[in-house]
Amino acid sequence: YDHNAEPNLIGSKIDEISADVPYLFVDINYYDTSVNPTGVPVESWLALASDKSIGDYYPAILATDGNGSSFARLLTNTSTNTVTTLRVGNVWYSAFKVKFFSDGTTPPILPVGQSDTFPGEDSIGANLKVTLFLIDKKTFEYWTGVDKQITVADYFPIPTSIAMTAE
């Protein structure tokens, strides 16, 4: 037991989301045991639910507004400007973004029930509960209400980025 152990999977702390900036930028870093020998290896419990490795998971965000409505969306890889898993081939990525507000571009035609911008309550000074998580399916490419569509078995939260309060 190491009292000073750090998690092997680390995500950004989010305390503010600015309506002046269309995108929220976040980092998600995975350090295997060769870099962080004190951490609990994600693979030791990931294997219980999936045959995939941590690099095969898509980073995503879950935001719950003041009314209790929850919405999820996959994060976009800032290097490729597309939705990717943490690892593509032999390259690991850590810088991601998610569109919250309009950036002035015309969004594509979206599936019913999905939105290009955050559909929840987002008034000035409102608080959101935000969690970064990983999911093994390429779902929620746009903001999607997930109150009854997401189950614990489908995803796992990033230990350092759970239920953060963001104004």
Side-chain angles (χ1 to χ4, degrees):
Y1 174 76
D2 184 341
H3 185 72
N4 298 313
E6 296 287 331
N8 288 58
L9 186 61
I10 298 171
S12 293
K13 301 282 186 202
I14 302 167
D15 58 9
E16 182 178 272
I17 299 169
S18 174
D20 296 329
V21 181
Y23 293 87
L24 173 67
F25 291 87
V26 299
D27 289 321
I28 297 173
N29 292 291
Y30 171 68
Y31 302 104
D32 67 18
T33 53
S34 68
V35 176
N36 178 10
T38 68
V40 175
V42 172
E43 289 82 6
S44 66
W45 47 269
L46 183 65
L48 300 174
S50 174
D51 59 351
K52 297 181 179 184
S53 74
I54 192 72
D56 299 323
Y57 279 69
Y58 293 91
I61 188 168
L62 176 70
T64 302
D65 66 18
N67 295 326
S69 297
S70 296
F71 304 91
R73 184 171 186 173
L74 295 179
L75 301 178
T76 299
N77 183 322
T78 58
S79 295
T80 65
N81 209 32
T82 60
V83 170
T84 68
T85 53
L86 288 176
R87 183 188 64 229
V88 179
N90 291 325
V91 179
W92 285 85
Y93 292 97
S94 61
F96 296 90
K97 66 182 180 180
V98 63
K99 187 175 181 181
F100 257 91
F101 306 108
S102 176
D103 61 1
T105 62
T106 304
I109 297 172
L110 304 176
V112 174
Q114 296 188 17
S115 176
D116 192 39
T117 57
F118 184 70
E121 176 200 344
D122 58 6
S123 59
I124 301 296
N127 285 325
L128 300 175
K129 285 289 186 189
V130 179
T131 296
L132 297 177
F133 67 97
L134 299 178
I135 189 166
D136 67 352
K137 300 176 184 78
K138 191 175 183 181
T139 56
F140 314 124
E141 288 191 63
Y142 296 95
W143 286 106
T144 305
V146 294
D147 296 334
K148 295 182 175 55
Q149 297 179 29
I150 192 167
T151 62
V152 175
D154 292 335
Y155 74 99
F156 63 93
I158 296 171
T160 58
S161 303
I162 299 171
M164 300 171 285
T165 300
E167 184 175 326

